[in-house]
Amino acid sequence: MLAIALIVDSETNTLINEPILYSKGLINKGSKSITVNLKELINQAVINKLKTKTNYNELKTIVKVVASDFLFKKINRNPMIIPLIMSRSKK
């Protein structure tokens, strides 16, 4: 299982910080390069998607597709991916 948490500023349509990955039984502690590369890929994909008009369902789909494709290429597994998108607005 892999949970990916994103914090999005809903007013400016930007990411507040890089994605946070929570993994259980999927990626070993010693394979830091996989998590670093996955964070970079997800970060770039979400930033590119946020440049256009989008909604949270589209962001979740982008995160799932990018993560599942990358992990299948690297470790030959299809884990359950849970995207968590949190919104922050300055009201």
Side-chain angles (χ1 to χ4, degrees):
M1 188 227 20
L2 178 66
I4 303 167
L6 302 172
I7 303 173
V8 177
D9 188 346
S10 60
E11 291 180 355
T12 60
N13 246 12
T14 57
L15 274 178
I16 293 176
N17 61 351
E18 68 178 15
I20 302 167
L21 304 179
Y22 300 101
S23 171
K24 291 293 178 192
L26 179 67
I27 302 170
N28 296 333
K29 297 281 184 186
S31 52
K32 279 279 197 196
S33 64
I34 292 176
T35 57
V36 170
N37 291 339
L38 183 58
K39 278 185 184 183
E40 289 174 4
L41 282 174
I42 292 170
N43 197 19
Q44 288 301 316
V46 170
I47 288 172
N48 288 337
K49 186 63 179 171
L50 287 173
K51 290 179 183 176
T52 62
K53 187 174 180 179
T54 187
N55 59 27
Y56 290 139
N57 288 333
E58 291 174 351
L59 284 178
K60 287 181 182 181
T61 303
I62 291 291
V63 169
K64 282 184 182 181
V65 168
V66 168
S68 65
D69 289 348
F70 177 78
L71 290 173
F72 188 75
K73 288 178 187 174
K74 290 292 181 182
I75 60 174
N76 293 328
R77 286 185 171 178
N78 285 321
M80 176 176 30
I81 298 171
I82 304 168
L84 305 168
I85 300 176
M86 296 173 270
S87 173
R88 184 181 128 202
S89 61
K90 299 174 185 176
K91 289 187 179 180

